[in-house]
Amino acid sequence: MPNGKRRILLPFLLLMTILIITATSCREEPTQPPVGITEVKNTVILSSPWQDMHRYAIKWTRTLVDTNKRLTYLLKRKNAEGFETAKIFYLSGKDTTITEGSETSPIPEGTLFNYKMEVYDEAGALLDTSKSIITGTLNTTSANFTWEIDTLGIPGDYLYAVWGIDTNNVWAVGRVNLNEGKTAIIKWNGTEWSYHSWPLASIYSIYGFSETDIWVVGESSNRGFIGHYKDGEWTEYRSDYFYSRGDTVYALWGRLGSESGRRLGGGV
């Protein structure tokens, strides 16, 4: 190579090397996305608070990435055949409950769906999801029952409520005349109804926690009445409140509490 061309080429190569080194040393590393913004955490909790034969409720909690800005909640529903539909809700800062099905547009009984929630920001980026749940309408019993009419008492007798724990422990309250006399409480033992001489009161409702722990309510001597069946014996639960007001108690309900054991409520 002629000396003139060599002298021109060497400075040019030296300049290119310097530029490459400079560009390499000034290159910036890509920034990492903020933690928690693009991560899917399943912090939305889906549940079904109640169901009946033709309706049910879907509830979801707000996502933990909700900052009170409007977000898009996409509720996906898939049926047993795999057909998927979706509903869109624009929400911020609150939990939400909706009802699927209605009296005018009932969902067939025994219909189940798979639900899942996705949450998007205003730019359309996926922020959060929920775990899937399966819920739907209740189904009628598949057991093969045969209904039989059991005639009790005499014309004019009546029953207000029935409660039972199994097929051999079923209680009913009202007013029934049996061979032993008139009674407000009767019990089915799997074979026949038995008479209870106690109480001399009008009984409107019954609720129990076991076959040996049962409560009844009603009216006696123009005042509210509460009776308790415990380990084979009936006793009256007396209260100054009922003595002073003279109200009638028409209903009661209860649950087993972790601290106090049994908790009862009622309506007058």
Side-chain angles (χ1 to χ4, degrees):
M1 178 181 294
N3 292 335
K5 290 184 179 180
R6 183 178 303 170
R7 286 195 294 270
I8 296 173
L9 182 60
L10 287 176
F12 177 77
L13 292 176
L14 181 61
L15 177 62
M16 290 295 296
T17 303
I18 293 173
L19 289 175
I20 292 173
I21 294 173
T22 303
T24 303
S25 62
C26 294
R27 186 178 61 187
E28 294 183 358
E29 294 295 327
T31 57
Q32 297 297 322
V35 176
I37 299 300
T38 59
E39 293 182 351
V40 177
K41 294 184 177 181
N42 285 337
T43 69
V44 179
I45 307 300
L46 276 182
S47 62
S48 184
W50 58 265
Q51 303 161 270
D52 63 25
M53 297 295 185
H54 299 292
R55 303 172 303 161
Y56 55 92
I58 296 292
K59 178 180 180 180
W60 63 88
T61 60
R62 59 180 289 190
T63 170
L64 293 185
V65 299
D66 189 342
T67 58
N68 290 324
K69 293 183 178 180
R70 194 179 79 158
L71 299 176
T72 300
Y73 286 76
L74 185 66
L75 181 63
K76 292 185 174 181
R77 185 179 83 172
K78 184 183 296 185
N79 64 14
E81 289 73 33
F83 180 75
E84 187 174 86
T85 59
K87 292 183 177 180
I88 298 177
F89 302 87
Y90 300 102
L91 304 168
S92 64
K94 64 179 181 179
D95 300 343
T96 306
T97 302
I98 64 169
T99 299
E100 297 278 68
S102 64
E103 293 183 0
T104 57
S105 299
I107 298 175
E109 59 187 52
T111 304
L112 297 178
F113 296 95
N114 185 295
Y115 280 87
K116 187 173 183 179
M117 179 68 75
E118 295 177 355
V119 184
Y120 296 85
D121 64 12
E122 294 180 341
L126 180 63
L127 296 181
D128 203 352
T129 64
S130 74
K131 293 182 179 180
S132 298
I133 66 167
I134 296 176
T135 188
T137 55
L138 297 177
N139 201 356
T140 54
T141 177
S142 59
N144 186 20
F145 286 108
T146 300
W147 288 93
E148 296 180 358
I149 298 176
D150 193 358
T151 303
L152 297 172
I154 60 177
D157 289 352
Y158 48 81
L159 295 174
Y160 285 118
V162 177
W163 174 85
I165 195 168
D166 56 47
T167 57
N168 298 321
N169 289 278
V170 180
W171 299 78
V173 297
R175 189 187 71 182
V176 180
N177 283 273
L178 299 180
N179 294 332
E180 297 87 345
K182 183 172 66 175
T183 179
I185 302 174
I186 56 176
K187 180 190 176 185
W188 176 257
N189 62 11
T191 304
E192 61 182 358
W193 291 98
S194 59
Y195 167 88
H196 281 257
S197 59
W198 188 95
L200 297 176
S202 298
I203 304 300
Y204 296 109
S205 186
I206 182 170
Y207 189 89
F209 297 99
S210 71
E211 60 184 285
T212 60
D213 187 2
I214 303 169
W215 296 78
V216 295
V217 296
E219 180 267 335
S220 177
S221 302
N222 196 31
R223 62 182 177 84
F225 176 88
I226 298 178
H228 185 206
Y229 180 80
K230 182 65 174 177
D231 298 329
E233 295 185 0
W234 284 100
T235 56
E236 181 180 356
Y237 180 83
R238 298 182 178 273
S239 170
D240 292 338
Y241 175 84
F242 292 129
Y243 278 114
S244 61
R245 292 179 56 89
D247 287 337
T248 298
V249 187
Y250 289 102
L252 82 162
W253 61 92
R255 66 181 178 89
L256 290 175
S258 59
E259 297 178 359
S260 59
R262 294 158 183 81
R263 299 178 182 180
L264 288 169
V268 295

